[in-house]
Amino acid sequence: MKRKPRLLPKPSTPRTLANSPTTNPSPLPITMKSEVICFEETPLQFANGQRASHPCDGLTLFGPFDSRGVDRPRQITYGVFGTPSGLAAFDAFSQRLRQPILSEGDHDPTLWPHFPGFEEAFQVTWDGIPACQEPIDPAALHEAISVGDAHERVYKTVGLYMDQLTAAKRRDDPFQCFICIVPDEVKQNCRIKSKVFGTAGRAPKSREIKMRRTMDDLFASTADAFFQPQQYEFSLDFRRQLKARVMELGVPVQIVLESTLRLGERQSTKERGLTPLSDRAWNLATALYYKAGFKPWKLATARDGVCYVGIAFKDADEKKSNACCAAQMFLDDGDGVVFVGEFGPWYSPVTKQYHLPQEDARRLLKDVLDTYDQQHGKPLREVFLHCRSSLDAEELAGYQAACPEGVKLVAVRVAEERFGMRLYRPGTRPVLRGTFWPVTDRRGFLWASGFKPRLRTYNGPDVPIPLVIDIQHGDAELETVARDIFALTKLNYNACKLGEDQPVTVKFSDAVGEILIANQGAKVKHPNFKYYI
């Protein structure tokens, strides 16, 4: 018996506000287009107004954007925490950061640029000696990551680091950032849905966990002797729980896997594969510089008076009965601010989308715009909302009510087209990064991933996936909207890359949402974006 061929699912076309009769009685005429545009890499601005498209080029040649020359000495005050082996690995890596690191052997310097040294690249003193260096007991750490209860396992593991971080914070040193060196076993055992074998104790059922959440109210005097009920109010991911709990100390944290600091060659296939040492030096140095409160670069083509806001939803439980909306605001200079909305039943099982009530949408965007006025000072002209789902009429009305008179609001859906459009070109190379196909006046496809002429390669595993861009509300040139989104792919200060496959307004939405929503027990939630990446 012959089997019918399996067909790929037909890509769903999102219903946009521009052509929906419920929100726009007189739809705009749709004009189909066929021309394809290729954007050049957005230039970045560095010291003294100098420009370059690749962060490594600009930092090597000119220095960071906020530097004032080598006559202004600056220094990063940091603390390091990890097991004795982790501290030793970081000390060796830290000494290498003070020196030039060349891309030797088979590593092409075009793809893996040379690292000139921390001080030469960032004009900041890096003496390799931390203000505080505290060890984590390996035996206690191994015991913690072997606990059967996942909530207890992650909470205790994070607690070992928090104890040392809290003690360091009591010192007189004005720490700018903390660096936590984490063994690879912690990442393996302390993630969501981690499967841990040979654990101590059993994992409680969901009904038992629900009962334990309120146990401290019934048996407050004896609860701590057996377990800590607050552990069920935090994420099951080590990284995201640590970032949430450390906010109360007011110091951003950089988490580094111990294997990332390896200096020698890979000794066996069991060891984790790594990029060249120069690449890891660039990424770690850039992240530390940003989290210390400095600005490595900014967009050279940014327009004054424009605010970009990424909207993301995160479920508070597996049943999707309660969710929260988070907003991430980015200015033209790259500063990011995070906002938390209200909890509520925002998910609709009928439409399978999240939507805010009008008043909640108004309140969320008003908080964003008030912060813009306080921090930026320049008159606001345009607000661009970036979201992965569509907006309904009630939600849109709330966002419009938050905008002052004379400020234009443009709502744009930005999402990966995973099961739809693909574009090929003749030859063996994939489509160029920056390729844009405007299908209509309000819809187009942008390839933020693809072949990069500057690097002479494509570093993706498969055919490049485009971003679908839909202008759901407001009047704006589609090409201008696409260029702005393409430029926002270069504002990831957690690495030193030519560009990401998504704009920063949506790329970190899941991680930010997890830190905000899944850690209800966190005492403090800082708005600065550097606490979340």
Side-chain angles (χ1 to χ4, degrees), residues 193-224:
K193 298 182 179 180
S194 288
K195 294 183 179 180
V196 184
F197 300 96
T199 57
R202 65 178 184 87
K205 303 296 183 181
S206 57
R207 182 179 180 182
E208 186 177 353
I209 292 177
K210 185 177 180 180
M211 181 186 67
R212 286 186 175 190
R213 288 177 184 268
T214 58
M215 190 68 73
D216 57 335
D217 295 330
L218 299 176
F219 307 101
S221 60
T222 60
D224 289 340

Side-chain angles (χ1 to χ4, degrees), residues 10-289:
K10 182 179 293 184
S12 59
T13 303
R15 192 178 189 185
T16 64
L17 294 177
N19 53 25
S20 174
T22 60
T23 57
N24 191 351
S26 50
L28 296 174
I30 297 178
T31 304
M32 297 297 294
K33 298 184 179 182
S34 60
E35 70 272 13
V36 174
I37 307 170
C38 189
F39 299 151
E40 294 184 358
E41 284 291 344
T42 306
L44 303 174
Q45 186 173 340
F46 297 89
N48 302 316
Q50 300 295 327
R51 297 186 175 191
S53 62
H54 197 304
C56 294
D57 296 341
L59 292 171
T60 301
L61 296 173
F62 313 117
F65 165 73
D66 60 357
S67 68
R68 299 179 182 177
V70 295
D71 58 340
R72 183 195 176 197
R74 295 179 295 176
Q75 185 172 356
I76 296 179
T77 304
Y78 62 97
V80 183
F81 310 87
T83 62
S85 61
L87 295 178
F90 180 81
D91 181 65
F93 194 93
S94 178
Q95 296 304 320
R96 290 301 307 272
L97 287 179
R98 303 179 61 193
Q99 311 165 13
I101 301 176
L102 304 181
S103 300
E104 300 175 343
D106 298 333
H107 300 141
D108 186 355
T110 302
L111 180 60
W112 310 108
H114 303 307
F115 180 70
F118 199 103
E119 188 167 348
E120 286 72 16
F122 296 95
Q123 299 186 11
V124 171
T125 301
W126 182 269
D127 55 15
I129 302 176
C132 177
Q133 181 171 288
E134 296 296 336
I136 304 295
D137 185 3
L141 186 62
H142 179 75
E143 180 182 353
I145 65 175
S146 301
V147 174
D149 184 351
H151 288 275
E152 182 181 355
R153 179 170 64 246
V154 180
Y155 188 80
K156 283 187 173 181
T157 304
V158 173
L160 292 176
Y161 283 86
M162 281 298 300
D163 290 342
Q164 298 290 8
L165 294 172
T166 304
K169 180 61 178 178
R170 297 193 186 103
R171 298 163 56 115
D172 294 332
D173 300 283
F175 291 103
Q176 294 167 288
C177 66
F178 286 143
I179 304 172
C180 291
I181 313 301
V182 180
D184 289 45
E185 292 79 11
V186 172
K187 179 182 178 182
Q188 180 180 352
N189 290 16
C190 298
R191 290 184 298 176
I192 299 175
K193 298 182 179 180
S194 288
K195 294 183 179 180
V196 184
F197 300 96
T199 57
R202 65 178 184 87
K205 303 296 183 181
S206 57
R207 182 179 180 182
E208 186 177 353
I209 292 177
K210 185 177 180 180
M211 181 186 67
R212 286 186 175 190
R213 288 177 184 268
T214 58
M215 190 68 73
D216 57 335
D217 295 330
L218 299 176
F219 307 101
S221 60
T222 60
D224 289 340
F226 302 97
F227 61 89
Q228 296 175 308
Q230 66 268 26
Q231 68 194 22
Y232 299 105
E233 303 299 326
F234 289 92
S235 171
L236 287 174
D237 183 89
F238 171 87
R239 176 186 177 276
R240 294 171 182 177
Q241 185 179 142
L242 178 60
K243 286 187 175 290
R245 292 172 63 179
V246 82
M247 286 188 193
E248 65 183 75
L249 304 180
V251 181
V253 61
Q254 177 67 28
I255 302 174
V256 184
L257 284 178
E258 191 172 322
S259 60
T260 303
L261 305 174
R262 190 179 71 224
L263 298 180
E265 295 294 331
R266 189 178 183 184
Q267 300 298 322
S268 68
T269 56
K270 294 182 179 180
E271 290 186 342
R272 174 182 165 214
L274 299 172
T275 60
L277 181 60
S278 61
D279 180 65
R280 286 176 279 147
W282 272 119
N283 293 337
L284 181 57
T286 301
L288 293 177
Y289 184 82

Side-chain angles (χ1 to χ4, degrees), residues 242-380:
L242 178 60
K243 286 187 175 290
R245 292 172 63 179
V246 82
M247 286 188 193
E248 65 183 75
L249 304 180
V251 181
V253 61
Q254 177 67 28
I255 302 174
V256 184
L257 284 178
E258 191 172 322
S259 60
T260 303
L261 305 174
R262 190 179 71 224
L263 298 180
E265 295 294 331
R266 189 178 183 184
Q267 300 298 322
S268 68
T269 56
K270 294 182 179 180
E271 290 186 342
R272 174 182 165 214
L274 299 172
T275 60
L277 181 60
S278 61
D279 180 65
R280 286 176 279 147
W282 272 119
N283 293 337
L284 181 57
T286 301
L288 293 177
Y289 184 82
Y290 171 66
K291 292 184 179 181
F294 304 122
K295 191 63 58 62
W297 63 80
K298 64 171 288 186
L299 297 177
T301 59
R303 295 175 290 133
D304 288 337
V306 177
C307 173
Y308 304 97
V309 182
I311 303 294
F313 289 88
K314 183 65 180 179
D315 294 315
D317 51 57
E318 295 181 356
K319 297 181 180 180
K320 296 187 176 182
S321 59
N322 204 22
C324 185
C325 183
Q328 307 167 65
M329 178 186 71
F330 293 89
L331 306 178
D332 59 351
D333 58 1
D335 277 334
V337 184
V338 177
F339 302 85
V340 186
E342 300 292 334
F343 282 85
W346 311 143
Y347 180 77
S348 170
V350 178
T351 63
K352 295 184 178 181
Q353 290 189 352
Y354 297 86
H355 295 292
L356 284 177
Q358 179 174 340
E359 178 58 24
D360 291 278
R362 184 200 68 81
R363 189 183 303 113
L364 179 63
L365 187 57
K366 185 178 185 304
D367 291 342
V368 173
L369 301 185
D370 288 345
T371 303
Y372 175 92
D373 292 336
Q374 296 169 7
Q375 292 192 0
H376 207 44
K378 297 181 180 179
L380 182 63

Side-chain angles (χ1 to χ4, degrees), residues 394-452:
E394 182 181 3
E395 197 172 14
L396 175 61
Y399 290 135
Q400 287 178 314
C403 291
E405 184 178 356
V407 175
K408 183 170 69 173
L409 175 68
V410 180
V412 185
R413 177 177 176 264
V414 184
E416 288 185 318
E417 189 76 352
R418 290 194 171 275
F419 303 105
M421 172 64 62
R422 295 295 183 271
L423 187 64
Y424 301 85
R425 66 187 183 116
T428 60
R429 303 297 186 183
V431 62
L432 294 175
R433 165 177 153 85
T435 300
F436 177 59
W437 180 19
V439 181
T440 69
D441 292 334
R442 303 181 70 84
R443 191 169 201 252
F445 295 94
L446 172 66
W447 279 263
S449 64
F451 184 81
K452 303 176 178 65

